[in-house]
């Protein structure tokens, strides 16, 4: 009887560990997605305000450093969660729609 209870306890511990691990993994993924979304929104807004589209350029880059500098000069981009990221390697690459000059695709690379 003693061995049977030991196996049941081990199985319960494994199940609880897996559920807890999945919970923390999901929270981590949600935080990463939120940080990417903040960077994307800030980069697109920065592009609209400070960059002009040029038909010879296909992809525009906005770095975290550029966004922080804009914040130092009066902008209010939400960069929460990006404090420990590289200022030069955390970048949003913006592909524009040449018909209207607006961003059509933004890819974010976080280096945190």
């Amino acid at each position: 009887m003693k061995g049977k209870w030991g196996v049941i306890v081990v199985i319960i511990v494994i199940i609880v560990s897996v559920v807890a691990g999945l919970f923390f993994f999901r929270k981590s993924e949600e935080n990463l997605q939120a940080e990417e979304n903040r960077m994307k929104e800030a980069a697109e807004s920065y592009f609209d305000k400070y960059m002009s589209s040029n038909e010879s350029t296909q992809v525009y880059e906005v770095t975290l450093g550029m966004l922080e500098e804009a914040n130092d000069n009066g902008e209010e981009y939400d960069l929460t969660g990006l404090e420990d990221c590289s200022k030069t390697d955390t970048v949003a690459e913006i592909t524009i729609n040449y018909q209207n000059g607006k961003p059509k695709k933004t890819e974010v690379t976080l280096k945190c």
Side-chain angles (χ1 to χ4, degrees):
M1 207 42 123
K2 200 177 201 183
K4 183 178 181 182
W5 286 108
V7 171
I8 292 173
V9 169
V10 168
I11 291 172
I12 291 173
V13 168
I14 290 172
I15 290 171
V16 169
S17 297
V18 169
V19 169
L22 290 174
F23 174 78
F24 288 117
F25 177 75
R26 181 174 167 96
K27 283 294 183 187
S28 174
E29 287 293 316
E30 288 174 358
N31 289 342
L32 180 62
Q33 186 64 40
E35 291 168 359
E36 286 181 359
N37 287 340
R38 280 190 211 98
M39 181 70 183
K40 178 182 176 184
E41 289 172 14
E44 288 177 355
S45 176
Y46 182 93
F47 174 82
D48 285 339
K49 289 182 181 180
Y50 298 105
M51 300 175 122
S52 62
S53 58
N54 180 340
E55 288 191 27
S56 64
T57 304
Q58 294 181 357
V59 177
Y60 295 84
E61 289 188 351
V62 177
T63 65
L64 179 58
M66 294 165 77
L67 296 172
E68 288 180 344
E69 184 177 334
N71 277 353
D72 291 341
N73 292 318
E75 291 294 337
E76 295 183 11
Y77 297 122
D78 181 11
L79 304 176
T80 307
L82 301 170
E83 296 87 358
D84 297 329
C85 297
S86 169
K87 308 303 180 222
T88 56
D89 293 334
T90 297
V91 63
E93 294 179 339
I94 301 172
T95 305
I96 63 164
N97 178 337
Y98 289 116
Q99 294 175 347
N100 61 16
K102 300 290 182 189
K104 72 174 180 182
K105 178 177 146 186
T106 303
E107 292 184 26
V108 174
T109 303
L110 297 178
K111 297 289 182 179
C112 303

